[in-house]
Amino acid sequence: MQMEKTRLRIAVQKKGRLADETFALLKATGLTIKENKGGLFYRIKNLPIDLLLVRDDDIPGFVFDGVADLGIVGANVYEEYALNNNNQRRAQCIQELGFSHCNLCLALPNTEGYADLNDFNNKTIATSYPNILQTYFKKGGISASTLEMHGSVEVAPKLGIADAICDIVSSGATLEANGLQNVKTIFSSQALLLKTTKALSTEKKDTITKLLSRFEGVRQSKETKYIMMNAPRSALPALTKLLPGAEAPTVMHLEGQKDSIAIHAVCRESVFWETMESLKTAGASSILVLPIEKMLA
Ligand code: ATP
Ligand code: ZN
C-alpha cells in the first residue's frame, strides 16, 4: 500500500465499545469528521488526518507495521498482541487516554469456593487473552491450561469445556447472568494512543504534536472543576489544604453572618465524593462542584 506522506493516518475501531468514546474524543479535540458511509476511511476536514476504520484486534499490528501512523486501542488488546508476538511487534504507547476502563478478571462458577490463586492449578480456563493470562500465571507459579475462545467466553463452564473463565468485566452483570463470580482482577485496561516506530515526515510529526496538545487540553478541562462552599471563617486553613490542585481560593463574606464565609476555587484535579465528604467534616456546607467549559490561563 502506498503510504501518504503528509496526511497522518490514525487507526480506530470502526464499531464497538471503543469506537464511541474514540469519536467523542476526536470531536472534543476539534476535528471535523467527514463520514464516508461504509468506507474504510473518514477524512478530517480541518487537519491533515485520515481515520482508518478497522476491528480493534487489527490496530496494534497495523500501527507496528506503519499501515497507520497512530492507533487508539484498549491496553488489553495491545498487550495480548505484543505478548503473542514475543514482544517483537510492540508499537510505541505514547499516551493513556483515560477512557474505556475495564478489567480482565478470573471468574469461577458460584458453586465453587475460592481460597487463593493456587485454586487454578491444573484447571482449564477459557479466555480470549491466553498470553496475558499465562504470563500472569507464570509470575504466580501457577500451571493451568487455557482454552482460547473469541466471544461468549462466559458460557464455557456451563458447556463443561472449561473450569473457569478469564474475561473483560465492567459492571459484572454478564458474570452474574451466567452464574459466575469474579475472584481476581489480573489486568486493568484503558484506551491507549499508539505510535508507529517507523520514521515519519516532518508534516506528520507536526500534526502529532498539535493533536497531543489538544488531547491534553481536553483532559485538563474535563478534570478541572469550579468548587463553591460556605464555612465558618475558622475552618478556612483546613479547607484550603483539602482542595485538590487549587490555587489561593477566593473568600467572600456572607451578608448578615459575621463568622461565616463563602469559598470559591478552581480545582485542577478530580473532585471525588470522598473529597467533598472531607470538606464537610472540616466544616463546609452547601458544597457545589461545577464543570468548567473552557479555560484560558
Ligand atoms: P471488534 O469488532 O472491533 O473486534 P470487539 O467485539 O472485539 O470489537 P468491543 O466489545 O467493542 O470489542 O470492545 C472493544 C474494547 O473496548 C475492548 O477490547 C476493551 O478494551 C474495551 N471495553 C470492553 N468492554 C468495555 C466496557 N464494558 N466498557 C468500556 N470499555 C470496554
Ligand atoms: Zn475485537
Side-chain angles (χ1 to χ4, degrees), residues 219-260:
R219 195 187 60 75
Q220 274 188 12
S221 74
K222 240 195 236 163
E223 279 184 3
T224 307
K225 297 282 184 266
Y226 195 76
I227 185 164
M228 310 195 284
M229 72 200 84
N230 293 344
R233 187 171 286 279
S234 59
L236 181 61
L239 293 172
T240 306
K241 274 197 207 126
L242 286 171
L243 291 170
E247 284 149 23
T250 306
V251 176
M252 285 159 280
H253 90 120
L254 290 170
E255 191 58 34
Q257 296 189 32
K258 206 159 75 33
D259 295 322
S260 293

Side-chain angles (χ1 to χ4, degrees), residues 26 38 49 94 97 127 185 219 228 252 254 277 287:
L26 296 176
I49 298 176
I94 55 172
L97 294 171
T127 186
T185 294
R219 195 187 60 75
M228 310 195 284
M252 285 159 280
L254 290 170
E277 283 155 7
I287 307 166

Side-chain angles (χ1 to χ4, degrees), residues 75-77 79 102-105 132 136 185-190:
N76 52 325
V77 172
E79 195 58 29
C102 56
N103 291 321
L104 191 55
C105 301
I132 295 179
Y136 181 82
T185 294
I186 70 155
F187 186 86
S188 289
S189 180
Q190 61 171 291

